[in-house]
Amino acid sequence: MPELIEKVAPTSYMTSKCTTTSNVGLYNHIRGFPVSNGETGVLSPKVRAFIEQSVMLCQPEQIHICDGSNREYNMLLRLLYSQGTITPLPKYENCWLARTNPADVARVESKTFICTPHREDSIPTAKENVEGKLGNWISEKDMEAAMFNRFPGCMRGRTMYVVPFSMGPVGSSLSKIGIEITDSAYVVCSMRIMTRMGRAVLNLLRDNSDFVRCLHSVGTPASGKIEQPSWPCDPERTIILHKPASNEIVSYGSGYGGNSLLGKKCFALRIGSTIAKKEGWLAEHMLILGITNPEGEKRYIAAAFPSACGKTNLAMLTPSLPGYKVECIGDDIAWMKYDEKGQLRAINPENGFFGVAPGTSDQTNPNAMKTIFKNTLFTNVASTSDGGVYWEGMENTLTDNISVTDWLGKPWIPGVSKTPAAHPNSRFCTPAEQCPIIDKDWESPDGVPISAILFGGRRPAGVPLVYEAFSWQHGIFVGATMRSEATAAAEHKGKIIMNDPFAMRPFFGYNFGSYLKHWLTMEARANARGAQPPKIFHVNWFRKDANGKFLWPGYGENIRVLEWILKRINNEPCYEKTPIGYIPSENSLNTAQLKKDINIDELFSIPKVFWLKEADDIKQYFDEQVGGDLPAEIAHELNELKKRIGYSE
Ligand code: GTP
Ligand code: SPV
Ligand code: MN
């Protein structure tokens, strides 16, 4: 039983509010703190202990145990409205807009830590005098100190919500349970959309089984002054801590997305990847889609692209090619495990989409547009005078009689205002079941069979539209060497090209070198069951021409790339070998009815000078960032790549 919170709360804080220890009021108090909602009688000893410890540490005004009902959701929306956190969007059905404190708009990777006994359990050993970029480690002592400096009394005057949630369908053998304790009603409402939340989950825990302990507070600045009472936060002291050994997550200071909806990146990826390593499966930053070809053959594909690089869009793609059908299982996270036949199967552990708003339109992602205009919480988008939302990409929805208010609440004039109307990381939080192309098996407890894994990113130069890895091991090298332009999803500024292996750089729960070794074992796991692992591909929708224009139209046209991938899954000989992998052979990528000015040759060119430099950069990255933790197989793949591109030292 983890005792971290108990340890952090010194005895002086451990005094309960009520002076009597009798059972009087057992059903409406926990350690003397009033319970405003929920029965305490159904709490298992472990759940009760977690609440008791958190209550005594955080000293809330009252405790609300969430049941997940509509009544509760509506009550919390009313509360958020009365506090000025959200405003209604009367143009749509049950949609709301939250404007955050402008200092709390994205994940904060520099303040995210993994706590293990030894640094090398969490992160690779970077070269001397080089800043490690593959995660941050914190010692147990420092984690305790960080908590002690922030949490005692942090919920005074606030309600503490207890949010029992399931990642994956309630009761599925692939699902995992967590409890998030938070002082943010916005977080509760978002968790209700993004996870299966409420009484059914508490009931599952009645056998006193374990769960992931998630403690969250939006915090209060050390000065005591809350800048924006409608969005309390403490950006200066924001910290996100994970302790895989005891399945604990502690997050302080931010109410935004991946910082505060702890089921998502913290649990499903960081803690999830450590559990997956132990249990022999994979927890990945991947969308899952189903694709049916005109002959009626259906395959499922998983794809890892870094944050804000196109997962939601690909997961809901509207094919431009006739006869194809795409269905969506998930847009952000995949948990994948082999079945007894050696078939990799994936579930989406989430229940909703927390998707990037800007760029979403009837032209780019019509299925998202059909999903998000009911029961949706928007954050940091712009609003319109007719009670709707607006963001970059929705230009053609504006008419002369409609005025726009930007994400900061200021008037915004199209063509005149110099700043974006919506924050580039503004998001919609919407129920997955509302997606018109949600797959009929999206909640299947057994998951769906995965036939191919895609890696990709924003590569403005040098990287072709698609290539196939030569082998599983080469595919892991391709994942390990992924790079992409930075986006607004985290605090990085500018469009620098960053390494983002497996699109997991901000989300590894353990040493990246061990992660690669774990991936390498997945081939033998399939072989041991008489099967092969899925084929691996790399895609790049973002290559640009000399004028900085995208070479590829992307979005619905990406079906052409998926079609070629389907043919390769069926082992059609529609490829040619290049130094970096297999690309479509002449005429095997369907370009019928594509706009004439698309330069396919440039899209697929593999410039030697570029790849020589890329190989150098990869070598430097591995040497500086991964060092002795790099598996020999991956170092070997780099040497093989160098040989193929004609590298001489
Ligand atoms: P996270 O939720 O942060 O993990 O991101 P995501 O990978 O789901 O990204 P998303 O699909 O929301 O895309 C982010 C941005 O990329 C949006 O502004 C899209 O319009 C843009 N985008 C997506 N697909 C394409 C494409 O095929 N071509 C181009 N040019 N842009 C795209
Ligand atoms: C990402 O940044 O990859 C997201 C959004 O999916 S957040 O939930 O904020 O992490
Ligand atoms: Mn994501």
Side-chain angles (χ1 to χ4, degrees), residues 107 264-265 285 305-308 311 331-332 427 507:
R107 283 183 295 99
K264 200 170 175 58
K265 306 295 160 143
H285 192 202
F305 310 153
S307 302
K311 289 185 300 301
D331 81 328
D332 199 48
R427 302 241 168 195
F507 310 122

